[in-house]
């Protein structure tokens, strides 16, 4: 097949195919040939854009960060005036994203780093950039809620934002193991209860979506 796809478009199609294939079957099981077939490009086009499969893995993690950052930047959880309601709305939005096949709602960076953390420092670092980068976007939400309610130590925005990411990533893993969305939905529901305990003394607001 002659590759008539513009170079930039070919690269993006390879990255889009990587996001689907890596999340659905893993990095090791995804071959360069399979990526090229899914993207509709030649192997020559692949190696024009990526020096190796490892380089593709790094680029895929960065591309995941770019695409998901745009999604979260425009998400409705930014709308509430009350900072605490924005935190709850963020958790509700994460629950709303849990739909479709299991691989479709899980995190590419989390999936990729589980396989490569000890074999590819470059991919591990890219995955860390992705996960830590999103964590950093949550911190201002949490900090505003802490400030609005006059809550300080031992709670910090950085530790609570990291907790959210840790619980979500763990929920994705257990959802994969169970083969359904219930574990991650239950984890999000428990996060909501925990934040209610911190901010409201234990009264639990109704979540928009929960497996509990």
């Amino acid at each position: 097949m002659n590759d008539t796809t513009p170079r930039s478009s070919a690269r993006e199609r390879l990255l889009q195919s990587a996001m689907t294939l890596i999340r659905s079957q893993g990095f090791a099981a995804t071959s360069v040939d399979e990526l090229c077939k899914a993207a509709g490009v030649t192997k020559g086009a692949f190696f024009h854009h990526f020096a190796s499969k490892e380089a593709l893995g790094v680029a895929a993690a960065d591309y995941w960060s770019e695409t998901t950052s745009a999604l979260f930047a425009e998400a409705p959880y930014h709308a509430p005036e009350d900072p605490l309601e924005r935190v709850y709305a963020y958790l509700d939005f994460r629950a709303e994203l849990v739909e479709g096949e299991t691989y479709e709602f899980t995190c590419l960076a989390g999936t990729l780093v589980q396989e490569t953390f000890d074999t590819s420092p470059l991919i591990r670092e890219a995955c860390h950039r992705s996960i830590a980068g999103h964590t950093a976007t949550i911190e201002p939400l949490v900090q505003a809620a802490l400030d609005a309610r006059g809550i300080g130590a031992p709670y910090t925005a950085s530790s609570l934002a990291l907790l959210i990411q840790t619980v979500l990533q763990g929920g994705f893993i257990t959802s994969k193991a169970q083969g359904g969305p219930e574990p991650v939905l239950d984890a999000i529901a428990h996060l909501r209860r925990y934040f209610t305990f911190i901010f409201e003394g234990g009264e639990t607001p109704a979540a928009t979506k929960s497996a509990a």
Side-chain angles (χ1 to χ4, degrees):
M1 178 180 68
N2 291 324
D3 183 18
T4 58
T5 307
R7 290 178 179 177
S8 60
S9 179
R11 184 180 189 277
E12 186 167 358
R13 288 163 67 182
L14 282 163
L15 291 171
Q16 290 171 346
S17 297
M19 288 200 302
T20 298
L21 291 171
I22 293 170
R23 284 193 292 165
S24 62
Q25 63 188 33
F27 183 70
T30 300
S31 67
V32 171
D33 286 338
E34 192 173 12
L35 284 164
C36 292
K37 181 178 179 180
V41 302
T42 64
K43 188 176 287 189
F46 178 95
F47 286 108
H48 173 80
H49 292 289
F50 307 107
S52 63
K53 184 181 170 184
E54 180 183 46
L56 177 279
V58 171
D62 290 337
Y63 185 74
W64 173 259
S65 298
E66 294 169 11
T67 55
T68 56
S69 292
L71 171 69
F72 285 106
E74 299 176 1
Y77 65 83
H78 299 285
E81 292 186 9
D82 183 349
L84 180 56
E85 288 303 317
R86 289 198 291 272
V87 173
Y88 291 146
Y90 170 82
L91 295 176
D92 291 345
F93 181 66
R94 295 308 303 250
E96 290 167 9
L97 294 178
V98 179
E99 59 182 9
E101 298 293 327
T102 304
Y103 79 88
E104 293 179 292
F105 61 75
T106 56
C107 174
L108 178 131
T111 298
L112 192 53
V113 77
Q114 287 168 46
E115 279 193 70
T116 62
F117 73 95
D118 199 37
T119 58
S120 174
L122 291 176
I123 295 178
R124 178 182 58 77
E125 290 166 6
C127 292
H128 180 260
R129 284 197 301 273
S130 178
I131 294 171
H134 183 67
T135 303
T137 70
I138 306 170
E139 283 189 36
L141 293 177
V142 179
Q143 186 64 63
L146 290 170
D147 292 344
R149 296 305 193 275
I151 297 173
Y155 305 107
T156 66
S158 59
S159 64
L160 290 173
L162 182 58
L163 173 68
I164 292 172
Q165 275 286 58
T166 301
V167 171
L168 286 170
Q169 294 294 341
F172 293 147
I173 292 172
T174 50
S175 283
K176 289 176 184 177
Q178 184 169 308
E182 290 79 11
V184 69
L185 289 173
D186 196 41
I188 294 170
H190 279 299
L191 268 177
R192 227 178 185 276
R193 295 185 190 102
Y194 181 61
F195 274 82
T196 299
F197 172 79
I198 294 171
F199 288 101
E200 300 184 40
E203 293 183 12
T204 306
T208 58
K209 186 175 182 182
S210 170

